[in-house]
């Protein structure tokens, strides 16, 4: 079992906590990698973790859509009623727990251990950059037409 953070650089600021929990051998922080390398790492992973605090409840990060496209189980540490939590509920192997609820995170982590990769089919295309960009273009065109 290994938790890898990519693009975070070192985890020096968390050294004391990591040491006190005795999990030094379970966690690694890695430097930034290219988008192509990141996607490959996501695909190769057994599970993916998304961290999103409540201040971002109205946003869905691009990372969420990339995670969905892999078919891998997702541990979404975010609010249930935020935009990301709402979107994650539609994904059969996404598990949601608020970052502030340790007990719920523990239960979610246990579920993650038995979660399976989801078959990727055309239903995930709506999460692609192309689809989302086309949707945005449609919204902008509609706004422009209403203005004229």
């Amino acid at each position: 079992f290994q938790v890898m953070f990519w693009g975070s650089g070192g985890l020096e600021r968390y050294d004391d906590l990591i040491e006190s929990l005795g999990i030094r051998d379970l966690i690694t922080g890695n430097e930034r990698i290219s988008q192509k390398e990141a996607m490959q790492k996501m695909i190769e992973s057994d599970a993916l973790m998304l961290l999103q605090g409540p201040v971002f409840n109205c946003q869905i990060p691009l990372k969420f859509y990339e995670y969905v496209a892999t078919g891998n189980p997702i541990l979404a540490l975010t609010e249930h009623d935020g935009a990301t939590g709402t979107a994650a509920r539609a994904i059969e192997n996404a598990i949601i727990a608020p970052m502030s609820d340790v007990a719920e995170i523990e239960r979610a982590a246990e579920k993650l251990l038995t979660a399976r990769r989801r078959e990727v089919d055309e239903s995930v295309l709506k999460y692609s950059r192309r689809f989302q960009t086309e949707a945005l273009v449609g919204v902008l065109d509609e706004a422009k037409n209403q203005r004229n």
Side-chain angles (χ1 to χ4, degrees), residues 20-138:
S20 71
L21 295 172
I23 57 174
R24 167 76 54 216
D25 57 334
L26 301 178
I27 298 179
T28 58
N30 300 286
E31 297 299 324
R32 287 186 160 277
I33 56 178
S34 71
Q35 176 63 25
K36 184 177 179 180
E37 291 171 301
M39 285 303 300
Q40 190 59 42
K41 295 287 184 191
M42 288 180 223
I43 291 166
E44 293 170 355
S45 296
D46 294 319
L48 302 162
M49 181 170 57
L50 181 68
L51 305 168
Q52 186 178 27
V55 70
F56 300 106
N57 270 354
C58 296
Q59 303 171 16
I60 301 176
L62 175 61
K63 187 74 52 207
F64 172 78
Y65 299 109
E66 293 170 338
Y67 283 9
V68 169
T70 70
N72 290 332
I74 301 168
L75 175 58
L77 299 182
T78 188
E79 300 299 313
H80 288 281
D81 59 352
T84 300
T86 300
R89 281 197 303 274
I91 308 303
E92 68 186 63
N93 62 346
I95 303 158
I96 308 160
M99 292 177 73
S100 61
D101 189 332
V102 174
E104 193 167 348
I105 292 171
E106 287 175 357
R107 288 189 296 275
E110 287 175 11
K111 288 180 187 176
L112 188 65
L113 294 174
T114 60
R116 298 287 176 243
R117 191 173 198 293
R118 178 181 38 74
E119 196 64 35
V120 177
D121 59 22
E122 288 185 17
S123 67
V124 301
L125 292 178
K126 66 183 175 186
Y127 297 108
S128 72
R129 287 181 185 194
R130 178 177 299 279
F131 184 91
Q132 294 296 314
T133 301
E134 288 172 359
L136 176 60
V137 167

